[in-house]
Amino acid sequence: MKRVTVQQALTGRVEVGETLEIQGWLRTRRDSKAGLSFLALHDGSCFDAIQGVVQNDLPNYETDVMKLTSACSLRIRGELVESQGKGQSVEIQVQELEVIGWVDDPETYPMSPKRHTMEHLREHAHLRPRTNIGGAVTRVRHTLAQAAHRFFHENGFYWIHTPIITASDAEGAGEMFRVSTLDLANLPRTESGEVDFSQDFFGREAHLTVSGQLNVECYCSALSKVYTFGPTFRAENSNTSRHLAEFWMIEPEIAFADLSDNADLAEEFLKYLFRSLLDERPDDMAFFAKWVDKTCVDRLETFIDASFERMEYTEAVRILEKKSKKAKFEFPVSYGVDLQSEHERYLTEKLVGRPVVVVNYPKDIKAFYMRLNDDGETVAAMDVLAPGIGEIIGGSQREERLEVLDARIAAMGLDPTDYGWYRDLRRYGTVPHSGFGLGFERTIQYCTGIENIRDVIPFPRTPRNADF
RNA sequence: UCCUCGGUAGCUCAAUGGUAGAGCAAUCGGCUGUUAACCGAUUGGUUGGGGGUUCAAGUCCCUCCCGAGGAGCCA
């Protein structure tokens, strides 16, 4: 008797005629008064459920089988046989069935065997992985994460575990969540009446990280090719289908590399991810193509075959200005202002029809650490824009020249003493280096066509919502 | 945070200011191998909370809460 997963049973690990044992959850039960019932059993190991056929002479047919409802957990033993029906090649002729867990009050079980809205699934995030779409998203997410690590490993990158808690108070990538053990009802005060963080756990203010970039630059300046892959936190009050308060970001950083190398890396990396996904999860991708977004598989294949579209910011603005009347933009476009969502969408969706890299933005709309170009006006920044999502990657060549970095820090009104260790990288053997941040959830959205980012992470954290 | 649209049965949605309905799910019965099975019946409601207008409010007004789409911020 082999105990196997549904995936193993369906893919030849068990020969027809062998007996096997499978454990899982019931998706549906269909009865035929020919004296048999059909059970669809899933265990998450693959998209498909396996069909168990139960004859009514089973000792517990009336007492157990006829009472089964969706989501009951079961252990079945039986023979793997070729199916007499359509829709599956093999099925299990059940010889023994054991109910492990019943469903309490089936009428109110939230994942009843019918179609549900994404909002409903989200409100039951603890049960959502049992659904077709919940399972498919989970496997796709895993596959993309594994592919990311594999890509970097195979290309000589080292994975750096950058800190979740940071006392760097000037990363400048958005609002931060405070980390503190102070008693909120009884805050220690300094003589001038301000909160005395010297009495806090770290002896100073601390927050959850908004990016591992500054930390990973340190390791880049020693191990040459590195990356982080971990959770990041933004306390922005963003209520959109593209933002989470807690999300996962992949941030590679490469030494002796300019912006063009950076864009090459982004392109090669994304293609590797998409190729892996199509190769490894055809079952789940077929489901998304059928029920969620008919174009998702084609989109990935096109991306893999095509070269990245690259465009200068100046060029992008020129095109947008030319098209602004026809496209009826709500906001005007001109050199020196950041592109609005509608402009980004126009570029990637209408003009190019696939992801596009916009490079060399005006320095005033970008971060202090981005490398100043020779024109003195722009910085070596890049944004990868994807149809339906907008910015999926943000990156840049970093400023490696200490005096230029200091001038930028000063010009932006930042305090150089906050950047002591970061400046040291430029003092001791500085090198040109580049990197980017890829929003992991946005990548999953792009691959699956799922519209709301809250549906591609197990337990989404958003303003006013940290349930589960 | 701003704009727009929503909140009615377990779920998805109907309902001129005048008796709250349907489909699915669930339960029961029928059906000779089903595939989101099918056919019949039954059960199922404090219409998001609070306040107001009215003879009468799911429906109109005020307010709060929650959700979605878009914007800003960004990945």
Side-chain angles (χ1 to χ4, degrees), chain A residues 44-63:
Chain A
S45 58
C46 58
F47 180 81
D48 287 318
I50 196 164
Q51 176 157 283
V53 184
V54 188
Q55 307 287 342
N56 65 359
D57 56 3
L58 206 72
N60 57 343
Y61 187 78
E62 290 299 329
T63 52

Side-chain angles (χ1 to χ4, degrees), chain A residues 1 42 99 105 185 227 255 263 266 281 289 352 440-441 454 456:
Chain A
M1 174 90 59
H42 71 98
V99 180
D105 191 11
Y227 71 105
R281 294 258 54 106
V352 180
F440 189 51
E441 284 76 20
R454 295 161 200 195
V456 300

Side-chain angles (χ1 to χ4, degrees), chain A residues 22-24 72-76 98-102:
Chain A
I22 288 204
Q23 307 176 99
C72 288
S73 53
L74 304 177
R75 179 178 300 129
I76 61 173
E98 186 184 338
V99 180
I100 298 169
W102 290 98

Side-chain angles (χ1 to χ4, degrees), chain A residues 28 32 41 103 116 131 145 179 235 245 264 266 278 296 367 370 381 443 465:
Chain A
T28 59
S32 163
L41 200 67
V103 167
H116 295 286
T131 62
V179 176
D264 287 344
L278 292 174
C296 65
M370 297 186 178
T443 308
N465 182 10

Side-chain angles (χ1 to χ4, degrees), chain A residues 27 193 211 269:
Chain A
R27 187 149 274 148
S211 164
F269 178 57

Side-chain angles (χ1 to χ4, degrees), chain A residues 310-327:
Chain A
R310 299 189 194 190
M311 192 180 289
E312 295 277 327
Y313 166 86
T314 314
E315 172 71 7
V317 168
R318 190 154 51 220
I319 293 172
L320 290 167
E321 280 177 328
K322 208 181 293 178
K323 304 279 186 183
S324 69
K325 271 188 190 162
K326 246 189 189 173

Side-chain angles (χ1 to χ4, degrees), chain A residues 164-201:
Chain A
I164 304 293
I165 299 172
T166 174
S168 298
D169 42 5
E171 295 184 26
E175 290 296 311
M176 299 198 281
F177 288 102
R178 181 179 301 287
V179 176
S180 174
T181 54
L182 292 177
D183 179 2
L184 285 176
N186 188 19
L187 290 171
R189 300 281 176 175
T190 61
E191 284 179 11
S192 57
E194 294 177 338
V195 176
D196 184 6
F197 287 104
S198 72
Q199 294 188 43
D200 204 346
F201 187 89

